[in-house]
């Protein structure tokens, strides 16, 4: 089958929009779950419809912690737990400690050789990853209806900048040199996030705002998790391919592996985690592409994201440029859904000069054709990295106790 890029699909326009809206309105059971666990990292599984599966271990446990009023104490204790190799803090409730000791273990299919290749990938492509996680994955999350609703009505929705910095921590940790090693932080970040998601599953159904808007009773199913997963590594890889960035097969497999492990640690069942890029791409066509659609909540979240650079000394991260980047990366349909205005100067510059810029950066073209555009784009990438390093300085991920009060 010819490769369908996200942008081309989205450029197809209205038909997809109608399809997306339909998928959201349709009951979850309407389309049978087709993807076979034979394509998963485990190569086998029950094949249960992931729209009906949540997190059987973490959900009852965190619900019980909330009911027992133990979450503030647990958050205090877990603030000191930051490194993968660090013992869990003393004093955690026994049921939580037992769960975390088990949840922090890497699966038997962990491949350290592949993780070394992931380090190479991240070092060589790190400059692109800021803009890709932020403005391909981050913006895409605002047109994933169920995620947009969950985020908007949960506690973090009240302070988007804080929330973004916590999510950026995960992007930063997964790409760091020692991500899964004892001195890294990705295992800690993922296990804490797994607890946060379990809390959200207990709390959001109590929010009248969410209950009125959401098409489901319990948020963040395994299916939803995979949708968001594809908005991250699959979307990043699709975009890099579209930009014609040459990536050696080993490094591409390494990057995938770092996200397979992240999925596992976030509580995604191994039977849903794709084993290869081919499997990931085929699953994304089923789970991600058809569900993208605008919601009032997502439009508001996107509006906040466009102001991410406001008030900072990062002149290229202005609202019009970030808008043009979104349109360039996610296509006209999504940009129009999000009411992002067309930006003639930057839009044209990106359309015309981004391809040659990448080719020069990657050593595929000898010299910048338009040196000014080249250095502007290079500076743009650098400012994204600065944004992550300074403004979005990681803060501790904590279990929420309530929803967005607004
Ligand atoms: C919290 C990442 C899937 C909704 C978080 C946090 C991270 C994260 C790092 C902690 C940040 C914070 O405390 O604000 C991820 C990743 C996912 C994923 C990597 C999949 C691979 C989902 C999905 C949904 C969702 C599918 C909803 C459909 C939320 C919500 C919070 C949260 C509502 C809580 C924010 C709060 O404290 O109010 N997620 N997430 N996430 N996530 Fe996810």
């Amino acid at each position: 089958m010819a490769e369908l890029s996200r942008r081309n699909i989205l450029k197809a326009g209205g038909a997809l929009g109608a399809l997306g809206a339909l998928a959201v309105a349709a009951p979850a059971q309407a389309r049978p779950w087709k993807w076979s666990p034979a394509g998963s990292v485990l190569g086998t599984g029950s094949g249960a419809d992931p729209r009906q599966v949540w997190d059987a271990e973490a959900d009852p446990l965190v619900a019980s912690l909330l009911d027992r009023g133990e979450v503030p104490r647990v958050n205090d204790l877990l603030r000191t737990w930051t490194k993968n190799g660090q013992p869990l803090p003393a004093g955690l409730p026994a049921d939580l400690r037992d769960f975390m000791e088990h949840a922090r273990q890497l699966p038997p299919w962990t491949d350290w050789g592949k993780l070394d290749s992931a380090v190479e990938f991240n070092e060589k492509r790190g400059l692109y990853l800021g803009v890709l996680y932020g403005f391909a994955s981050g913006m895409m999350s605002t047109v994933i209806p169920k995620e947009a609703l969950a985020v908007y009505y949960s506690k973090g929705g009240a302070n988007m900048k804080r929330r973004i910095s916590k999510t950026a921590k995960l992007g930063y940790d997964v790409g760091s040199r020692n991500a899964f090693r004892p001195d890294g932080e990705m295992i800690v970040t993922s296990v804490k996030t797994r607890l946060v998601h379990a809390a959200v599953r207990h709390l959001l159904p109590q929010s009248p705002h969410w209950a009125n808007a959401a098409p489901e009773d319990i948020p963040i199913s395994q299916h939803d998790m995979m949708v968001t997963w594809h908005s991250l590594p699959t979307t990043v890889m699709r975009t890099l391919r579209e930009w014609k960035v040459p990536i050696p097969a080993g490094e591409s497999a390494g990057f995938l592996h770092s996200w397979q492990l992240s999925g596992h640690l976030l509580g995604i069942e191994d039977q849903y985690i794709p084993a290869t890029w081919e499997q990931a791409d085929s699953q994304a066509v089923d789970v991600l592409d058809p569900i993208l659609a605008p919601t009032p909540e997502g439009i508001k979240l996107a509006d906040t994201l466009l102001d991410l650079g406001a008030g900072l000394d990062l002149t290229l991260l202005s609202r019009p440029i970030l808008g043009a980047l979104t349109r360039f990366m996610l296509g006209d349909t999504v940009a129009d859904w999000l009411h992002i205005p067309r930006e003639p100067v930057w839009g044209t510059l990106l359309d015309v000069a981004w391809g040659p810029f990448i080719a020069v950066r990657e050593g595929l073209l000898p010299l910048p054709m338009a040196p000014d555009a080249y250095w502007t784009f290079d500076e743009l990438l650098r400012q994204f990295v600065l944004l992550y390093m300074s403004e979005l300085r990681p803060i501790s991920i904590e279990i929420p106790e309530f929803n967005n009060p607004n």
Side-chain angles (χ1 to χ4, degrees):
M1 191 183 75
E3 188 180 295
L4 287 175
S5 77
R6 148 144 323 280
R7 225 162 142 238
N8 290 340
I9 295 168
L10 295 173
K11 274 179 176 164
L16 181 83
L19 232 159
L22 206 87
V24 172
Q29 296 82 347
R31 285 169 297 132
W33 170 247
K34 296 195 309 260
W35 194 77
S36 163
S40 72
V41 286
L42 219 52
T44 175
S46 69
D49 185 337
R51 288 167 288 200
Q52 302 304 324
V53 186
W54 289 268
D55 187 335
E57 282 179 275
D59 293 350
L61 169 69
V62 178
S64 156
L65 291 177
L66 283 160
D67 291 343
R68 279 150 38 197
E70 297 209 77
V71 166
R73 193 171 70 81
V74 164
N75 277 333
D76 281 347
L77 289 169
L78 287 184
R79 223 164 280 145
T80 61
W81 187 56
T82 56
K83 298 287 178 199
N84 298 337
Q86 202 181 334
L88 289 173
L92 287 175
D95 50 357
L96 176 64
R97 191 200 52 228
D98 291 349
F99 166 75
M100 289 180 75
E101 285 299 5
H102 159 68
R104 69 189 290 192
Q105 301 303 321
L106 288 169
W109 43 268
T110 304
D111 181 331
W112 291 101
K114 283 189 179 172
L115 288 177
D116 288 342
S117 305
V119 170
E120 263 175 68
F121 173 87
N122 287 311
E123 282 179 358
K124 279 162 71 181
R125 311 294 166 207
L127 199 60
Y128 301 134
L129 290 176
V131 75
L132 287 171
Y133 283 142
F135 273 76
S137 309
M139 263 303 169
M140 185 176 281
S141 73
T142 71
V143 289
I144 297 174
K146 292 209 248 163
E147 185 176 352
L149 288 172
V151 167
Y152 190 83
Y153 293 114
S154 69
K155 180 186 174 196
N159 185 341
M160 273 308 284
K161 195 148 192 179
R162 245 178 109 80
R163 197 197 126 77
I164 291 165
S165 55
K166 292 188 195 177
T167 311
K169 173 165 173 53
L170 187 133
Y172 178 84
D173 290 346
V174 69
S176 68
R177 170 165 267 284
N178 44 6
F180 297 93
R181 301 204 180 260
D183 55 337
E185 301 192 0
M186 187 57 187
I187 297 179
V188 171
T189 297
S190 303
V191 171
K192 285 186 180 177
T193 303
R194 184 171 175 187
L195 295 173
V196 171
H197 287 150
V200 169
R201 292 190 192 100
H202 184 68
L203 292 170
L204 265 185
Q206 299 167 32
S207 155
H209 306 294
W210 180 81
N212 280 335
E216 61 196 344
D217 294 332
I218 309 172
I220 322 187
S221 66
Q222 292 277 320
H223 189 274
D224 296 328
M225 291 292 292
M226 282 318 299
V227 170
T228 300
W229 190 91
H230 286 299
S231 75
L232 288 149
T234 312
T235 300
V236 165
M237 194 47 84
R238 278 173 164 184
T239 314
L240 287 173
R241 276 190 222 130
E242 205 171 301
W243 291 353
K244 301 194 172 49
V245 175
I247 301 170
E251 288 172 31
S252 151
F255 176 60
L256 174 64
H257 195 59
S258 66
W259 275 100
Q260 288 167 329
L261 289 178
S262 309
H264 174 93
L265 291 164
L266 283 161
I268 301 178
E269 292 185 10
D270 289 353
Q271 65 161 325
Y272 302 122
I273 302 176
T276 60
W277 278 119
E278 210 180 12
Q279 288 296 336
D281 288 332
S282 90
Q283 197 190 61
V285 170
D286 285 346
V287 307
L288 175 70
D289 299 339
I291 61 95
L292 299 178
T295 55
E297 291 81 359
I299 292 169
K300 286 185 221 159
L301 294 176
D303 191 61
T304 320
L305 264 173
L306 288 178
D307 278 334
L308 204 61
L312 302 175
D313 203 16
L314 301 171
T315 47
L316 290 176
L317 304 191
S318 68
R319 197 177 162 90
I321 298 179
L322 294 180
L325 259 178
T326 306
R327 187 174 284 279
F328 177 67
M329 291 196 291
L330 296 184
D332 285 337
T333 306
V334 167
D336 291 345
W337 282 346
L338 295 173
H339 304 171
I340 294 174
R342 281 179 190 276
E343 221 286 319
V345 175
W346 271 89
T348 312
L349 190 65
L350 285 164
D351 283 340
V352 173
W354 189 263
F357 161 69
I358 296 287
V360 172
R361 271 205 106 260
E362 295 299 324
L364 302 174
L365 271 184
L367 279 174
M369 315 278 270
D372 285 355
Y374 182 91
W375 291 114
T376 308
F377 284 154
D378 215 53
E379 177 64 13
L380 179 71
L381 292 177
R382 208 182 58 84
Q383 291 199 1
F384 263 101
V385 175
L386 281 177
L387 177 78
Y388 280 95
M389 303 301 279
S390 56
E391 197 55 24
L392 301 182
R393 185 167 294 133
I395 40 181
S396 117
I397 290 177
E398 308 206 342
I399 306 172
E401 288 166 88
F402 50 85
N403 294 309
N404 185 347
N406 302 316

